[in-house]
Amino acid sequence: MNIDSVEVFRKKRREALDYIQDKTDLRPNFMLILGTGLGQLADEMDVETEIPYDEIPHFPVSTVESHHGKLLFGTLGGKEVVAMQGRFHYYEGYTMQQIVFPVRVLKANGADTLIVSNACGGMNPNFERGDIMLINDHINMFGDNPLIGPNDDELGPRFPDMSEPYTKRLLDIAETVALESNIKMHKGVYLALSGPMLETKAEYRFLRLIGADVVGMSTIPEVLSAVHMGMEVLGISVITDECFPDALEPVDIEHVLEAAGMAEPKMTRVIVGVLRKL
Ligand code: HPA
């Protein structure tokens, strides 16, 4: 494991921030992370500036084919936003520190709210492929997290509280938007582990038993760093496959992307609706 000192990490953040602030005058309060198969939300955005990740000093570069790998600055739902089109996954080999680097940098650029989306497997028997779920809590089973290592007290506390990682006020607004738009939306617990393999039947049975409604391979690192820095967080999962151990079907990435595509318009409506109400 390779963890930067506080000073080295500060310098890297500064250099990335300087580069970004050279390219755009926007300092959006809202940061969006678009998950697997959910990049189309960007089409709804009025994009002013695009910055490919590989241009930004110290930014990791996205390796997953279904991810585009750029920052989009613009407006959505009447608000200034910055969207990450493509995120970094632990299974790609990035360190936790690399995965959350964009959140650290964009917070320094003015973001105080993180809206994060992901694709996941549904384990709650009430959930169907193509449904969406508001994340109201999580279980971290990465066996790692981005807060390990020297703590930069300028960013946040050594021992951050996790009694409400997903902001109640934002959950309430999102539920109101879904109700008003006639969108069926669940609420539940997101559990993440490293991947890249999907889970065995025995693992799904276990994960359900310990309290998770859905399972995925992302989101929690970014949320932990956001909460560490005092940001408000809204998380939305798209259920791309049904993970019921007694009726488990094989799943491939095309199947996941197809379901993400089915759910995307609902997720987009909820996110745009929340932004309008904020
Ligand atoms: N498990 C983990 N991650 C996932 C799944 C799953 O079943 N489906 C989509 N992402």
Side-chain angles (χ1 to χ4, degrees):
M1 193 162 37
N2 191 4
I3 296 181
D4 291 332
S5 68
V6 168
E7 289 70 29
V8 169
F9 196 33
R10 269 185 200 163
K11 183 166 176 286
K12 286 183 175 175
R13 289 200 305 272
R14 183 77 249 161
E15 286 169 4
L17 185 64
D18 285 348
Y19 186 86
I20 289 168
Q21 294 191 336
D22 240 25
K23 297 272 168 188
T24 178
D25 291 330
L26 296 187
R27 305 287 180 263
N29 292 137
F30 300 96
M31 169 175 182
L32 269 58
I33 303 180
L34 310 178
T36 303
L38 300 170
Q40 297 302 318
L41 182 60
D43 296 345
E44 303 284 315
M45 256 180 89
D46 220 339
V47 177
E48 187 182 284
T49 306
E50 285 192 20
I51 314 178
Y53 295 156
D54 58 9
E55 283 184 7
I56 307 171
H58 315 297
F59 247 59
V61 178
S62 188
T63 67
V64 181
E65 264 175 75
S66 47
H67 290 230
H68 295 277
K70 51 184 186 257
L71 287 183
L72 306 175
F73 285 83
T75 48
L76 182 70
K79 300 290 188 307
E80 275 188 11
V81 302
V82 51
M84 281 184 74
Q85 196 171 34
R87 66 140 62 82
F88 307 106
H89 296 88
Y90 196 59
Y91 61 74
E92 293 174 86
Y94 301 113
T95 63
M96 285 282 166
Q97 221 178 21
Q98 285 178 304
I99 291 168
V100 305
F101 187 73
V103 187
R104 299 293 198 193
V105 172
L106 291 166
K107 167 74 165 62
N109 191 52
D112 53 22
T113 302
L114 175 68
I115 301 179
V116 58
S117 66
N118 61 54
C120 66
M123 298 184 295
N124 183 322
N126 296 322
F127 294 3
E128 280 180 301
R129 179 167 184 255
D131 284 353
I132 60 174
M133 185 198 89
L134 277 181
I135 305 175
N136 64 9
D137 210 346
H138 73 222
I139 299 174
N140 177 14
M141 286 191 60
F142 277 105
D144 195 357
N145 75 70
L147 307 182
I148 290 177
N151 185 58
D152 187 342
D153 295 330
E154 284 182 10
L155 294 180
R158 173 76 285 189
F159 301 108
D161 178 68
M162 284 295 149
S163 58
E164 192 192 302
Y166 301 87
T167 311
K168 176 79 169 62
R169 185 177 73 91
L170 298 180
L171 282 163
D172 290 346
I173 296 171
E175 274 194 289
T176 305
V177 170
L179 271 173
E180 286 172 356
S181 320
N182 256 320
I183 292 171
K184 174 171 106 176
M185 186 169 63
H186 307 287
K187 236 182 348 184
V189 174
Y190 175 86
L191 181 148
L193 24 68
S194 71
M197 62 286 168
L198 300 183
E199 292 69 36
T200 64
K201 293 183 188 115
E203 287 167 340
Y204 284 129
R205 204 171 282 119
F206 165 70
L207 299 176
R208 177 74 186 134
L209 194 68
I210 63 169
D213 293 292
V214 299
V215 53
M217 308 173 189
S218 67
T219 302
I220 293 179
E222 296 98 320
V223 169
L224 292 174
S225 68
V227 174
H228 178 237
M229 295 185 290
M231 295 173 78
E232 296 202 312
V233 177
L234 178 71
I236 303 188
S237 288
V238 167
I239 289 116
T240 57
D241 51 294
E242 293 171 3
C243 305
F244 310 142
D246 299 313
L248 196 63
E249 305 271 348
V251 169
D252 57 31
I253 183 73
E254 280 72 33
H255 183 85
V256 166
L257 294 178
E258 186 191 68
M262 281 157 50
E264 193 156 30
K266 291 186 277 190
M267 198 199 65
T268 301
R269 274 185 76 178
V270 173
I271 291 177
V272 173
V274 169
L275 286 168
R276 282 202 190 287
K277 282 188 194 283
L278 283 170

